[in-house]
Amino acid sequence: MPDRRPFRRPAGIFALVDCNNFYVSCERVFQPKLEGVPVVVLSNNDGCVVARSAEAKALGLKMGDPYFQVRSLLVRHGGQAFSSNYALYGDMSRRVMGLLAAEAPAVEVYSVDECFLDLRGMTRWVQPDLAALGKRLRRRVHQHTGIPTCVGIAPTKTLAKLANRVAKKRPELAGVCWLQDAELRAWALEQVPAEDVWGVGRQYAQKLQEQGITTAAQLAQVPLGWAKQQLGGVVGQRLVRELQGFPCLALGESEDGTRQRQSLCVSRSFGGAVTTFDQVWEALANHVTRAAEKLRAQSSAAHLLTVFVETSRYDGTPPPHSRSTVVTLPAGTADTGLLLAQARAALRRIFGPGARYVKTGVVLGGFEPEGQRQLDLFSPPPAPVSIEEPRAAVLAALDGLNQRFGRGTVTLAAALVGKQQPPPVWATRFERRSPAYTSWRELWTVSA
């Protein structure tokens, strides 16, 4: 039954701008010959499909398909496959999000290719027709970056996500869907399956299917008590209220580096199985170094350090296939040297001679502000400021050089081994990677 509470005017107007097939679109910006060609982007070590062009989707390629299984189909239709080029994608994402941030009072960078915009007040003072605003946003982003987008505009964030999905599926909308009144919202809710609503996972999708709830419109009509009981408590209630047009979710902190993360994980699968401690340590040292850089970038210190290693689940070895250990640091730190020392000792505790490792990584947790570190009551007093300050200055200089000249330009010796040529066996394979066209090191060279 629909909710019978008195109607109140919705207080929010949100837009969701989503880049279409983002990884593929980034490749096409610098290689226009790929337009109209089936294109896929692969995961680390060129394992699985993680992005597809519309033409690749039309061939029946699915997310997560192993590349070796679809390679022949792609070749038969003149398609192309690329290794993930995260440096290029990250830079293109920053450009897109910067353009959007200049167009709205507040934004939330939700992911590398999605951004929420708060449009409250813009209908009165700036842009009376929000559909026209959405079209202008699409034109501006495409003009300055070459990336195609779709825009969904609605009174709530959940409806804005839903509107964006409708905009992608309905060509007649020209990439913009503004749910400006109750009639349009009712129509859009009928277009979207319940399992595709933002916030409905696989488990809840199955439960809704069992109850005969197949569309977002039907989900919006369920009693709030039922939603609370069956869909995760208050979260389920908020989901239904958002579908009904009542905003329950405000803009959150962004995923573009400004969010104060509560944990950090850096890991990557190896390019090939490794068996020696030194090889695993080389990879882990690089991950710890990168994690420490991220920690300092948000001015945090970590109290917990977790190191883990994994063996292959498919080589016939018995489980367990992963081992980990947690280190509680006596005081929070973002010092790369201190973290490397703790990580090396932790790795020795879990490393098993003779095992064929395929992955390692580090997780940092227990964060606190760098300038407000909690000291251990039963540990010796910290080093004098005269000792800590020069070390902090060295780390700040190191971060500044890497930011200016590129990641890994200056690093500690433990992480330097990963820069050797040819690459070590643990290095991730990117055999089909295109150039990072926006990097100074890989700019196009034009000969006249």
Side-chain angles (χ1 to χ4, degrees), residues 189-190 192-196 208-209 211-219:
L189 288 168
E190 289 288 355
V192 178
E195 63 264 24
D196 291 337
L208 293 174
Q209 187 73 29
Q211 296 294 323
I213 300 171
T214 59
T215 68
Q218 292 174 315
L219 179 56

Side-chain angles (χ1 to χ4, degrees), residues 93-105:
S93 175
R94 285 189 291 273
R95 297 182 184 201
V96 171
M97 302 310 167
L99 289 167
L100 295 175
E103 298 290 335

Side-chain angles (χ1 to χ4, degrees), residues 13-16 119 130-131 134 151-155 160 163-164 176-180:
I13 294 289
F14 298 93
L16 178 70
L119 304 183
L130 291 184
V151 182
I153 306 173
N164 187 282
V176 178
C177 180
W178 180 25
L179 304 183
Q180 62 191 73

